[in-house]
Amino acid sequence: MFRKRISTKILTSFLACVLVVACSQNNKPAATTNTSPTTTSSNIAISSSIPIGIAVAQTSNVALLGQEQVAGAKIAEKFFNDKGGVNGTPIKLVFQDTAGDEQGAINAFNTLITQDKVVGIVGPTLSQQAFAADPIAERSKVPVVAPSNTAKGVPQIGKYISRVSAPVAVVAPNAVKQALKINPNIKKVAVFYAQNDAFSKSETETFQQTVKDQKLELVTVQKFQTTDTDFQTQATSAINLKPDLVIISGLAADGGNLVKQLHQLGYKGLIIGGNGLNTSKIFPVCQAQCNDLLIAQAYSPELVSELNKEFREAYQAQNQEEPQPPQFSAQAFTGVQVFVEALKKLDSNTKIKTLPLEQLRTQLNEQILNGEYDTPLGKIAFDPDGEIKQGQFYVAQIKMNPDGKKGKFTLLK
C-alpha cells in the first residue's frame, strides 16, 4: 500500500511536470509573436528621426580632411532639419571614425550597418578605404554616397555605390592647362605621388597622361609615403633636373611638407597640388611656402547660387576664422543633401515608416540614382553606375597673407 501511494505520487508529479512543460511550450509562440525581435530589427525605428551614417576620418593623418567633412555634414544636418527634415521627420547623423586605413573604414561600415541600422552611409574619406569598405555595404544592400572618393573604379564597386566627388580624370587636367596659361614656357615636368594611397596612384596616372597629352617632357616620377615627413632626397633629385612645373599627388600633411621643402631647397617654379591638398588645413603645414600653389577643384565658394550662399554663410558662422568653406565640407554637405532629398521623394510616394529596413535601403538607392540635385557644387545627377554628372569645375591658386599663417583659395578664370 505504501509503495502504491509512492508510485501514485511519482506518477502525479510526472504528469504535472509534463503539463507545465506543455503549457510553457504552447505559450512561447504567442510571447515571441508579441515581442518579435525579427519585426523590430527588420523595420527601421524612424518615429523620432532617420539615421544616416557618416563614416569619415576623424583621427590619423587623414583627419585634416575628415574634420572638414564632419563640419560639412553637421551643417547639413542642422540646415535640412531646420527646413523640416524629411517631410516632418528629422534626420540624425550617426558618426563613426574610419581613421586613415582600410580596417578603420571596414569597422565603421560594419558598425553603422549592423548596430546603428542606418538607411545609408556618406563616406569614407579615402578611395583606398572605399575599395575595402564599400563591398561590405554592397553585400548588405546599403546605399553609399562617397563624398571624396575620386579614384577610377569607385562607383563600379557595385550598384549601391555612388559618389558626389567628381573623378580625378575629369578634374585634374584643368590644373595643368591653367599652369600653361600662367606660364606658356613650361617644358619640363616633375611628378611626385604617394605610392601607398589608391587615390594618389590613380590621380598621378591622370596627371602623367595629361603631361604627355600637352606635349610636355616628364623628367622624373618620384614616389613617397603619406606618412613621410622628410622629402629632401626626392626633392633634390627632381630639382637637379630643372623642371618648370612640379605636380604632387598626396594628402595634406605629406603634400604640404613636400611643397615647403621644395621651396626651401631652391625650387621657384609653379606647383600643382592634387585633390588631397585641396584644403585650408594645408596652410599651417607649408605656411608662406603654400603661396601660388595651384589646385583643380570640383567646388568653388564663389559659385553663384542661393543654396551655395546659404551653405557658405552657415559655414562662416561656425568657422569664423575660415571665410571660405573647403571642397571637402561642400561635398560632405552634398552627400547628406542627396540622402535627404531622395528620402523626401521616396516618402512622398510610399511612407518610409511603413517599409522594412531592407526594402527602404533598396528603394532609397534607386531614388538616389534617379534624382537630380541643386547643390553647393552646382546641379548634379548620377549615371546608372552611380558616377556623378557635374558640369562645373574650377582651378584656384592659394594666396597666403603676409604673415604666412592664413590664406585663401583664389578662383582663376
Side-chain angles (χ1 to χ4, degrees):
M1 190 69 172
F2 179 74
R3 286 181 179 177
K4 185 177 181 182
R5 278 202 293 267
I6 290 177
S7 299
T8 303
K9 285 183 179 180
I10 291 173
L11 180 60
T12 303
S13 298
F14 173 78
L15 290 173
C17 183
V18 169
L19 287 171
V20 168
V21 171
C23 290
S24 176
Q25 288 176 336
N26 288 335
N27 287 336
K28 274 185 178 178
T32 303
T33 302
N34 291 336
T35 58
S36 171
T38 302
T39 303
T40 303
S41 63
S42 66
N43 289 278
I44 180 169
I46 58 172
S47 56
S48 58
S49 61
I50 303 171
I52 299 172
I54 308 294
V56 297
Q58 299 177 55
T59 57
S60 81
N61 62 320
V62 189
L64 293 178
L65 308 180
Q67 289 164 5
E68 292 183 347
Q69 294 175 315
V70 169
K74 287 183 175 179
I75 290 171
E77 182 178 36
K78 182 178 186 306
F79 180 86
F80 291 109
N81 280 340
D82 286 348
K83 292 182 177 294
V86 177
N87 299 332
T89 302
I91 61 168
K92 179 182 179 181
L93 300 187
V94 183
F95 290 86
Q96 290 291 340
D97 180 16
T98 64
D101 59 7
E102 294 91 327
Q103 191 59 51
I106 289 171
N107 293 342
F109 270 50
N110 277 325
T111 300
L112 289 169
I113 293 168
T114 61
Q115 295 183 28
D116 299 319
K117 300 191 182 302
V118 298
V119 297
I121 298 172
V122 176
T125 300
L126 299 180
S127 297
Q128 183 93 4
Q129 295 175 311
F131 289 120
D134 283 356
I136 295 171
E138 179 66 23
R139 289 192 295 270
S140 300
K141 299 182 178 180
V142 176
V144 172
V145 176
S148 55
N149 305 151
T150 61
K152 180 180 179 181
V154 170
Q156 288 72 34
I157 291 173
K159 63 182 290 188
Y160 286 83
I161 313 301
S162 58
R163 63 178 169 190
V164 294
S165 44
V168 63
V170 174
V171 180
N174 297 324
V176 178
K177 294 173 184 177
Q178 186 65 52
L180 288 168
K181 286 184 181 179
I182 296 172
N183 180 11
N185 296 318
I186 291 174
K187 302 296 182 186
K188 296 181 178 182
V189 182
V191 167
F192 295 75
Y193 77 94
Q195 61 181 332
N196 63 326
D197 177 58
F199 159 71
S200 296
K201 290 169 70 175
S202 176
E203 185 181 64
T204 194
E205 291 174 3
T206 296
F207 274 131
Q208 291 180 44
Q209 185 59 50
T210 303
V211 168
K212 295 173 184 176
D213 292 343
Q214 295 296 321
K215 310 301 182 186
L216 303 174
E217 181 184 357
L218 184 60
V219 295
T220 186
V221 176
Q222 297 288 332
K223 302 175 184 179
F224 61 90
Q225 304 283 328
T226 55
T227 52
D228 288 347
T229 57
D230 184 355
F231 303 92
Q232 184 168 338
T233 300
Q234 299 100 315
T236 300
S237 296
I239 290 172
N240 288 339
L241 297 171
K242 299 181 179 180
D244 307 302
L245 174 67
V246 167
I247 302 174
I248 300 171
S249 293
L251 303 179
D254 48 284
N257 275 309
L258 177 52
V259 168
K260 179 171 66 176
Q261 290 173 38
L262 279 164
H263 285 309
Q264 289 173 339
L265 291 168
Y267 178 72
K268 299 186 183 302
L270 285 172
I271 301 178
I272 291 173
N275 196 51
L277 282 69
N278 187 16
T279 165
S280 59
K281 303 295 185 183
I282 197 176
F283 298 164
V285 181
C286 48
Q287 300 180 2
Q289 308 295 350
C290 297
N291 203 52
D292 291 337
L293 181 67
L294 290 168
I295 305 280
Q297 299 179 315
Y299 167 73
S300 172
E302 299 178 29
L303 174 68
V304 179
S305 78
E306 184 59 31
L307 182 57
N308 190 42
K309 177 175 176 291
E310 291 181 280
F311 167 66
R312 187 172 61 243
E313 290 172 349
Y315 182 87
Q316 290 169 348
Q318 290 192 18
N319 304 271
Q320 296 183 8
E321 293 186 359
E322 294 184 41
Q324 292 180 310
Q327 177 177 299
F328 288 94
S329 294
Q331 289 174 324
F333 179 100
T334 299
V336 175
Q337 178 185 350
V338 165
F339 272 113
V340 171
E341 293 191 5
L343 283 163
K344 289 172 68 175
K345 182 70 173 178
L346 180 59
D347 185 67
S348 297
N349 297 327
T350 305
K351 290 303 177 183
I352 60 176
K353 292 181 181 180
T354 67
L355 297 176
L357 179 54
E358 295 80 0
Q359 186 178 347
L360 172 54
R361 286 167 169 171
T362 296
Q363 292 189 16
L364 175 58
N365 187 65
E366 294 172 356
Q367 185 59 55
I368 286 171
L369 296 178
N370 291 324
E372 295 181 355
Y373 311 88
D374 191 356
T375 77
L377 310 178
K379 293 182 178 180
I380 67 169
F382 300 98
D383 72 11
D385 278 345
E387 183 65 89
I388 186 174
K389 295 192 288 186
Q390 179 179 350
Q392 295 171 280
F393 302 100
Y394 317 89
V395 178
Q397 191 167 37
I398 293 177
K399 293 298 180 183
M400 298 299 294
N401 295 345
D403 62 6
K405 294 181 179 180
K406 296 181 180 180
K408 65 178 293 186
F409 289 91
T410 303
L411 184 64
L412 300 178
K413 303 296 185 182

